[in-house]
């Protein structure tokens, strides 16, 4: 079965997200842990609401949701106060996610803002070593990035450098989320050589470390470093490219999350389209 969902607003609470995605024909979803651009915490969720979502997930056989950290975190910022804020916030979010055991938590590795890749990856690993713990019930995912500005994670090798610097005791809870728009923007040829790209991922990172896929078309050609998501079939990857991705033997069992420019009705249409295009 295709594991598919989309990004949802958390405004209506936790249970609401689970109910909505099931109504949309999906089987998992992603949400921002708090306002993605701001620092204001969303109102504290009620334990009953979170517990109700967890029961719904177990009853319905949904794939555990993917929480996405806000964009305001920068684990490899130059300013120490930004790094401290990122560390403390991520730690508290990971503690909270113990209420939804089996969750995934995705974050953008960060921008090194001129400090260089070496310093950047070391600071990111320092943060992970500070916020993770042995026996935690969440899998923390590094997202592959488009390589805009000084973004770290523009290559599989940069993510490998981070993983190598994280305490091995935390490795069972550490993985990668592959964003198809970002990877294409970073210069990997998903359209012309999907096999080659996935073999490269497997060689450098290991396909077992791939826990989730952000399924987006890209408004720009390969290597553009722009990070502009397009609707499924309306971008550079196109419907054929996207179909090959969801049906590839190395990917077809992974959960896919749409982050395309859509409202919920548009997402429901894309979920239906992809479900139709998926070979069991
Ligand atoms: Fe992201
Ligand atoms: Fe993404
Ligand atoms: Zn993006």
């Amino acid at each position: 079965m295709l594991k598919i969902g989309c990004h949802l607003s958390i405004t209506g609470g936790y249970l609401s997200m689970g109910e909505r995605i099931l109504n949309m024909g999906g089987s998992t979803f992603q949400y921002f842990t708090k306002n993605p651009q701001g620092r204001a915490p969303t109102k504290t969720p009620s334990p009953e609401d979170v517990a109700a979502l967890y029961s719904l997930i177990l009853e319905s056989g949904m794939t555990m949701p993917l929480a996405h950290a806000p964009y305001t975190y920068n684990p490899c910022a130059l300013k120490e106060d930004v790094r401290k804020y990122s560390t403390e916030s991520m730690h508290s979010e990971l503690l909270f996610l113990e209420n939804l055991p089996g969750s995934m938590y995705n974050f953008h590795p960060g921008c090194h803002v001129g400090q260089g890749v070496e310093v950047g990856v070391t600071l990111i690993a320092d943060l992970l070593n500070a916020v993770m713990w042995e026996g935690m019930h969440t899998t923390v995912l590094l997202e592959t990035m488009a390589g805009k500005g000084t973004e770290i994670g523009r290559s599989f090798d940069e993510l490998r450098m981070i993983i190598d610097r994280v305490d091995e005791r935390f490795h069972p809870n550490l993985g990668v989320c592959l964003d198809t728009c970002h990877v294409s923007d970073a210069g990997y040829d998903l359209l012309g050589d999907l096999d080659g790209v996935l073999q490269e991922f497997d060689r450098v990172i290991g396909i077992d470390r791939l826990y989730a896929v952000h399924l987006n078309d890209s408004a720009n050609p390969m290597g553009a470093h722009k990070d502009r998501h397009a609707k499924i079939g309306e971008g550079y990857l196109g419907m054929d490219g996207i179909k090959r991705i969801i049906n590839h033997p190395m990917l077809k069992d992974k959960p896919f999350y749409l982050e395309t420019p859509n409202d919920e009705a548009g997402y429901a249409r894309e979920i239906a389209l992809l479900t139709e295009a998926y070979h069991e």
Side-chain angles (χ1 to χ4, degrees):
M1 198 193 85
L2 176 64
K3 297 172 187 142
I4 181 92
C6 63
H7 190 90
L8 289 179
S9 160
I10 197 172
T11 313
Y14 279 74
L15 177 61
S16 158
M17 293 189 286
E19 291 172 339
R20 270 146 60 215
I21 198 66
L22 289 174
N23 283 330
M24 291 161 71
S27 50
T28 186
F29 63 91
Q30 173 178 267
Y31 61 99
F32 281 124
T33 50
K34 60 176 90 153
N35 178 346
Q37 309 291 357
R39 288 191 174 201
T42 34
K43 65 178 186 338
T44 316
S46 81
E48 293 78 19
D49 185 28
V50 176
L53 171 64
Y54 192 56
S55 305
L56 178 68
I57 291 170
L58 297 183
E59 282 161 24
S60 63
M62 266 199 260
T63 295
M64 284 303 290
L66 175 58
H68 193 308
Y71 299 139
T72 41
Y73 299 176
N74 185 3
C76 55
L78 181 60
K79 290 187 183 146
E80 206 203 325
D81 65 322
V82 177
R83 295 202 304 269
K84 187 164 177 268
Y85 164 74
S86 308
T87 307
E88 287 170 356
S89 305
M90 271 179 69
H91 189 232
S92 74
E93 287 173 356
L94 290 173
L95 287 172
F96 174 74
L97 283 174
E98 292 293 299
N99 293 301
L100 281 172
S103 283
M104 296 180 283
Y105 179 88
N106 171 74
F107 75 106
H108 294 183
C111 293
H112 67 68
V113 290
Q115 300 174 94
V117 172
E118 269 300 323
V119 172
V121 298
T122 302
L123 289 172
I124 296 160
D126 287 349
L127 172 137
L128 288 170
N129 286 326
V131 302
M132 294 180 75
W133 66 93
E134 233 180 322
M136 64 192 295
H137 296 89
T138 299
T139 308
V140 178
L141 306 183
L142 298 154
E143 182 167 352
T144 60
M145 300 308 292
K148 221 172 36 167
T150 63
E151 272 174 355
I152 300 238
R154 63 177 65 214
S155 67
F156 302 152
D157 300 83
E158 288 186 3
L159 296 183
R160 179 78 242 174
M161 288 169 77
I162 299 167
I163 294 166
D164 283 340
R165 287 163 174 76
V166 173
D167 191 321
E168 278 192 14
R169 290 175 304 148
F170 308 149
H171 278 203
N173 294 91
L174 184 60
V176 170
C177 172
L178 186 150
D179 185 310
T180 54
C181 167
H182 297 176
V183 161
S184 171
D185 268 31
Y188 291 97
D189 191 3
L190 288 178
L191 196 55
D193 187 20
L194 180 60
D195 279 336
V197 174
L198 294 175
Q199 278 158 21
E200 167 84 354
F201 186 99
D202 192 34
R203 183 182 64 79
V204 176
I205 296 175
I207 200 72
D208 291 349
R209 265 195 208 290
L210 181 63
Y211 285 84
V213 177
H214 282 165
L215 190 66
N216 302 309
D217 213 327
S218 175
N220 294 288
M222 186 178 89
H225 304 298
K226 287 271 190 2
D227 193 3
R228 287 282 170 274
H229 302 191
K231 291 181 184 175
I232 296 302
E234 295 186 10
Y236 172 81
L237 295 174
M239 195 57 208
D240 285 348
I242 297 282
K243 273 187 195 173
R244 283 200 296 275
I245 289 169
I246 60 170
N247 286 299
H248 194 283
M250 287 167 90
L251 298 179
K252 65 181 311 205
D253 296 327
K254 314 280 182 187
F256 295 93
Y257 299 86
L258 298 162
E259 301 175 309
T260 47
N262 273 305
D263 55 16
E264 290 191 7
Y267 277 135
R269 281 194 296 274
E270 289 190 344
I271 289 170
L273 190 70
L274 293 162
T275 304
E276 179 76 33
Y278 183 73
H279 312 307
E280 291 299 333

